[in-house]
Amino acid sequence: MSTVTGMLQGSHFAPPRSERTHTGLPENCGTLDRMSSQQFRTSGRSSKRPLQQRDAGIGTGFLFILATIASVVGLAATYYFFVRTTMGQFIDESALVEATVLGGTAGRASTEFLDMLPMMSLAIAAIMVLFVTIARRRWRAAGIAVAACIAANAATQILKFIIPDRPDRGVQTLELNSLPSGHTTLAASAAAAVFLMVSPRWRPLAGFLGSTFAVATGVSTLINQWHRPADVVAAFLVVGAVMLPAGWLILRTGTSWNVWKGYGEHWAASRLWVWLTVTALVVAGSVAGYSLLQVMPGLSTDSTIDYFWAGTAFIVVAGYLSALGGTWLFGLAARKN
């Protein structure tokens, strides 16, 4: 019997030992199925990559839409309170009237600054945008940024034309509409165009310097009695409403260079610029609160400059808050590496 079994094992009726397994099937059976299954699972994971591994702008479109809507709503609220209500008109006009106290040297300096502002803003934006465009070949981004800059300034002039004049609320004021501020829009939109064009590691610095330039412009228009504080705040909101969608388009069309490695990768990406912005916000908020408390009924009203400081603080808060929000949002939306 053992002899017969050995003969059968050695004959061609028995499969080779290398092809026999404990299941009785060849060892390579199902290899293609397993490989296909593994490839399917891999491709399935690639379509659901974490946010930090996705292209710039992916997954953040809703935040940009929300920020744009917030800018439009803020613009409408600013107009309604400071133009249509008695309290808003009084606060806004009082800040403008009290700005005469800072005449003299400050007034002359602000006038000279405002006279140079149009050419200065255009020169800064043109030099920076052209340099980045030519050096980095960001032609599409430059087109979007410049178009958005023009659109923001056009929107300001259109709003000046279509917004009704100030209604009579018993406050002595010029009825002519001055909202939004054209000078502030020009400065803020130029700064925003530079912010959109530079690489993510430069945006913390660009946000701080750009907002400082725009805030200085807005405060100068108040000191020189060209615009009320609400006009300046409205200009910031117009720029935000126009430049935010443009920024998202730049992120989506320039995902190869919109790469954010986090704070500290470069001196321009230092957290110092964020902390300086936050410090300015805290100081301005404190000044606004203290100044308004001073003019509340029952408190001392001897000061003739509290409304001015409150209006100036409103401008500072609006400008630096825009910078802080923009730096955070664009850092979140940029592609991580």
Side-chain angles (χ1 to χ4, degrees), residues 86-326:
T86 302
M87 181 181 295
Q89 279 193 10
F90 181 77
I91 294 174
D92 218 21
E93 187 66 23
S94 297
L96 185 67
V97 171
E98 291 180 358
T100 58
V101 178
L102 293 181
T105 304
R108 289 192 297 271
S110 65
T111 301
E112 294 175 358
F113 175 72
L114 291 173
D115 288 340
M116 295 186 300
L117 179 67
M119 292 303 299
M120 187 188 306
S121 299
L122 293 176
I124 292 174
I127 291 173
M128 290 300 300
V129 170
L130 283 176
F131 173 77
V132 175
T133 302
I134 296 174
R136 303 299 183 185
R137 300 184 181 276
R138 298 171 188 170
W139 306 100
R140 186 176 300 176
I144 296 172
V146 171
C149 188
I150 295 173
N153 287 274
T156 289
Q157 299 306 318
I158 292 173
L159 287 172
K160 280 178 175 291
F161 179 76
I162 66 175
I163 290 179
D165 293 337
R166 290 173 174 263
D168 185 5
R169 294 289 185 263
V171 179
Q172 290 185 348
T173 178
L174 292 176
E175 295 182 355
L176 181 65
N177 175 54
S178 59
L179 182 148
S181 167
H183 279 75
T184 306
T185 301
L186 181 61
S189 60
V194 174
F195 178 86
L196 297 182
M197 285 294 299
V198 298
S199 300
R201 68 178 183 176
W202 287 93
R203 282 178 182 153
L205 174 63
F208 174 74
L209 294 181
S211 59
T212 302
F213 177 64
V215 165
T217 301
V219 173
S220 295
T221 62
L222 176 59
I223 293 176
N224 205 46
Q225 295 182 294
W226 286 14
H227 283 284
R228 303 170 182 86
D231 301 343
V232 178
V233 173
F236 290 143
L237 293 169
V238 169
V239 172
V242 175
M243 303 302 283
L244 280 168
W248 187 80
L249 286 177
I250 289 177
L251 287 170
R252 293 297 299 121
T253 57
T255 186
S256 61
W257 58 270
N258 274 289
V259 180
W260 172 241
K261 297 181 180 180
Y263 291 104
E265 64 158 316
H266 189 262
W267 68 268
S270 171
R271 292 183 184 273
L272 171 66
W273 313 115
V274 177
W275 285 115
L276 288 175
T277 303
V278 172
T279 301
L281 286 171
V282 173
V283 172
S286 301
V287 171
Y290 176 79
S291 300
L292 291 178
L293 283 175
Q294 292 299 107
V295 296
M296 287 184 64
L299 298 179
S300 174
T301 58
D302 294 336
S303 174
T304 60
I305 202 172
D306 284 320
Y307 283 110
F308 169 79
W309 286 118
T312 301
F314 290 157
I315 294 173
V316 174
V317 168
Y320 282 111
L321 189 61
S322 300
L324 187 65

